[in-house]
Amino acid sequence: MTNDELRNALLNAPKNGYADLTDAQRAEMEEYCKRYAAFMDACKTEREATAWTVAAAKKHGFTELKPGMSVKSGDKVYFNNRGKSVLLAVVGSESLAAGANICAAHVDSPRMDLKPNPLYEDSEIAYCKTHYYGGIKKYQWTAIPLALHGVICLKDGTAVNVTIGEDDSDPVLMVSDLLPHLAADQMKKTLAEGIAGEQLNVIVGTEPLSGEGSELVKLHIMKLLNEKYGMVEADFRCAELVIVPAGKCREVGLDRSLLGAYGHDDRVCAYAEIEPLLTMETPKHTAVCILADKEEIGSVGISGMQSQAFEYFMGMLCDSQGVNLQQCFANSFCLSADVSNAYDPNWPETCDRRNNSLLNYGVSICKYTGSRGKGGASDASAEAMNHVRTTFENAGVRWQIATLGKVDQGGGGTVAAYMANRNIVTVDAGVPVLSMHAPIELVSKLDCYMTMLACKAIYLA
Ligand code: MN
Ligand code: MN
């Protein structure tokens, strides 16, 4: 054998996904990304993603799963977990005793939540105070257009949905930053300290009501909110109002190969899970799609992946077949579909390039996450990795390996550990992202498309 022949036979040579993308695949990829962009424009919070998914599921013949319901092969069911998280299943031809094929993504993203008493006036400017949610670089959230999304529960029990800042005719909101002329002290601070959490105060107005009185700018804002939503100031305490970047998902690059949007992490994997499930024929194993909340703050709480809501859902399915839930879990597989960091040549010192995911190299499989010696990681076994490799390659899915940065550089986690703790074999995989957790994140269309094919392959494995 020549060295070239040996090299081809023995060495691993990852290739850019465009190298063998067919014209038909390219057309499919473009169409898929258009639908994904529309989903992103409609869904900027876990509530919006849940509502969108439930509506889409109903349209595709899914029915709400209820205790005691009899469920048979081919049935399509969903469970809306209090409007903030959603679980879907297409019941397989095999018994649930043989396990389910699960894809688990999250639909919450880093942002700024309004505090329970947000509205105040200072120097005749009305502001809302916020408490950031998830891991953000606070300085990135100043001087950019922001939108207000969420829900307000009025005293009479009505829940009012709020979206301000997304329609072209809407106003947007903003957090101010200091002019460079006066920033001598600020510029000496670290990036972490340059903008403090308590400075993330969102400007909501400046025009005072006419007449006498104090805090007339604040009163004016409250009057506008009352006219539009029927709310009074006390209702802020029973609301979930969040501040997210305003604007739509856009193509990025002169070649339009990237998509820029708020919250690709992790709605890019969420959509990749939803779309193939909606139109799926009866699979062999029951296919389960999880869209979880609260991943960005540790998967805690009733709508996070540590919640028993998952057992409740799977328990209802298992009960309908007289199957033991633990047996179902023991034979199940979960793809923890979450994003990875794409290699960024601007910061080569943070990553091990040989083990980092690259843009356009396909869905990235992450054997382990964690930090400081894999702490907190669900470290997938060789067997589990091989199952995913075989499944992807048999389905023509381009994939690559991901690790989250250099050893001891930092780290992170996903829902993988919480799935594996349930005795479910779990592997992390997802879309590589540039500028993760920034107000606008970047992903490649090719990687989005491959991740959708990856989820589809897992459901059908
Ligand atoms: Mn994520
Ligand atoms: Mn994240």
Side-chain angles (χ1 to χ4, degrees):
M1 263 191 175
T2 66
N3 282 352
D4 274 353
E5 285 165 342
L6 266 181
R7 186 173 287 113
N8 286 339
L10 299 183
L11 297 188
N12 184 24
K15 260 196 309 187
N16 188 297
Y18 278 100
D20 50 15
L21 191 72
T22 65
D23 287 348
Q25 283 178 315
R26 180 187 283 268
E28 251 185 63
M29 173 184 93
E30 292 291 348
E31 286 309 310
Y32 172 75
C33 286
K34 275 183 202 153
R35 296 191 296 272
Y36 169 57
F39 169 76
M40 290 301 273
D41 293 344
C43 305
K44 288 196 172 180
T45 65
E46 66 280 357
R47 280 181 186 273
E48 289 165 358
T50 297
W52 188 99
T53 303
V54 167
K58 283 182 180 163
K59 221 168 96 187
H60 285 85
F62 284 67
T63 55
E64 190 182 354
L65 183 63
K66 290 183 178 147
M69 217 163 109
S70 90
V71 178
K72 59 180 192 314
S73 165
D75 281 357
K76 301 165 155 194
V77 294
Y78 72 88
F79 173 68
N80 181 343
N81 185 6
R82 300 161 173 94
K84 292 171 69 76
S85 156
V86 59
L87 301 135
L88 306 103
V90 180
V91 180
S93 53
E94 294 228 344
S95 155
L96 273 157
N101 283 322
I102 304 164
C103 290
H106 66 94
V107 284
D108 61 316
S109 301
R111 62 186 185 220
M112 299 184 289
D113 291 348
L114 292 201
K115 288 191 182 187
N117 274 321
L119 187 61
Y120 71 102
E121 177 175 334
D122 191 340
S123 309
E124 291 165 76
I125 303 174
Y127 291 94
C128 279
K129 290 209 72 72
T130 66
H131 192 147
Y132 67 93
Y133 170 92
I136 64 167
K137 290 163 124 180
K138 298 187 248 322
Y139 70 87
Q140 292 180 330
W141 293 70
T142 64
I144 58 165
L146 299 166
L148 180 69
H149 290 237
V151 63
I152 306 158
C153 289
L154 305 181
K155 221 170 179 179
D156 66 5
T158 0
V160 188
N161 285 315
V162 174
T163 316
I164 302 174
E166 302 296 353
D167 194 273
D168 284 343
S169 64
D170 279 355
V172 294
L173 308 176
M174 203 169 282
V175 177
S176 64
D177 197 355
L178 187 58
L179 62 167
H181 316 65
L182 300 182
D185 292 337
Q186 184 197 31
M187 297 300 271
K188 287 182 203 139
K189 293 182 179 175
T190 64
L191 285 176
E193 293 161 339
I195 297 289
E198 289 292 351
Q199 285 175 318
L200 292 176
N201 301 317
V202 182
I203 297 172
V204 292
T206 62
E207 184 187 338
L209 281 181
S210 57
E212 291 304 304
S214 63
E215 301 201 324
L216 291 174
V217 179
K218 172 181 169 177
L219 192 59
H220 186 191
I221 294 299
M222 207 53 245
K223 184 165 174 273
L224 290 173
L225 288 171
N226 179 264
E227 283 162 6
K228 188 156 183 189
Y229 301 113
M231 74 178 292
V232 296
E233 189 180 15
D235 295 326
F236 275 122
R237 298 172 301 183
C238 302
E240 284 177 63
L241 293 168
V242 309
I243 301 286
V244 296
K248 290 185 179 346
C249 181
R250 300 286 300 268
E251 292 181 308
V252 175
L254 298 180
D255 60 2
R256 302 171 183 266
S257 60
L258 303 172
L259 293 173
Y262 163 68
H264 284 311
D265 176 10
D266 186 33
R267 289 189 277 279
V268 68
C269 297
Y271 191 74
E273 288 183 10
I274 300 164
E275 204 186 271
L277 192 85
L278 289 177
T279 52
M280 182 173 292
E281 302 288 314
T282 306
K284 187 172 163 214
H285 294 280
T286 296
V288 174
C289 167
I290 302 174
L291 305 186
D293 180 27
K294 295 287 180 280
E295 192 278 340
E296 295 294 356
I297 60 166
S299 298
V300 288
I302 199 163
S303 51
M305 210 53 245
Q306 298 196 62
S307 160
Q308 290 284 315
F310 179 63
E311 277 73 10
Y312 183 61
F313 174 75
M314 293 301 293
M316 281 191 273
L317 286 175
C318 285
D319 286 350
S320 77
Q321 298 186 357
V323 167
N324 177 275
L325 179 64
Q326 293 303 325
Q327 188 186 352
C328 172
F329 281 0
N331 292 321
S332 290
F333 174 81
C334 176
L335 191 80
S336 163
D338 205 343
V339 298
S340 61
N341 65 306
Y343 179 76
D344 191 331
N346 271 343
W347 283 277
E349 69 281 8
T350 61
C351 295
D352 169 10
R353 197 179 183 285
R354 289 186 185 86
N355 283 284
N356 209 94
S357 58
L358 301 169
L359 285 179
N360 290 325
Y361 276 61
V363 59
S364 61
I365 306 180
C366 196
K367 186 176 183 299
Y368 51 85
T369 57
S371 54
R372 295 176 304 282
K374 299 190 177 181
S378 164
D379 197 348
S381 70
E383 292 85 351
M385 291 295 286
N386 199 39
H387 168 65
V388 175
R389 163 168 73 173
T390 311
T391 304
F392 286 179
E393 290 182 357
N394 288 345
V397 178
R398 181 168 286 281
W399 68 276
Q400 57 179 329
I401 276 293
T403 57
L404 190 50
K406 271 191 179 165
V407 176
D408 289 338
Q409 181 65 38
T414 64
V415 302
Y418 309 113
M419 301 308 289
N421 287 347
R422 293 176 158 111
N423 195 28
I424 298 171
V425 174
T426 302
V427 177
D428 271 304
V431 177
V433 178
L434 282 180
S435 302
M436 195 196 294
H437 285 204
I440 306 291
E441 303 173 315
L442 293 175
V443 295
S444 99
K445 288 180 179 175
L446 187 138
D447 299 331
C448 294
Y449 174 61
M450 286 298 161
T451 301
M452 181 274 288
L453 294 181
C455 291
K456 190 174 177 180
I458 291 295
Y459 288 138
L460 297 176

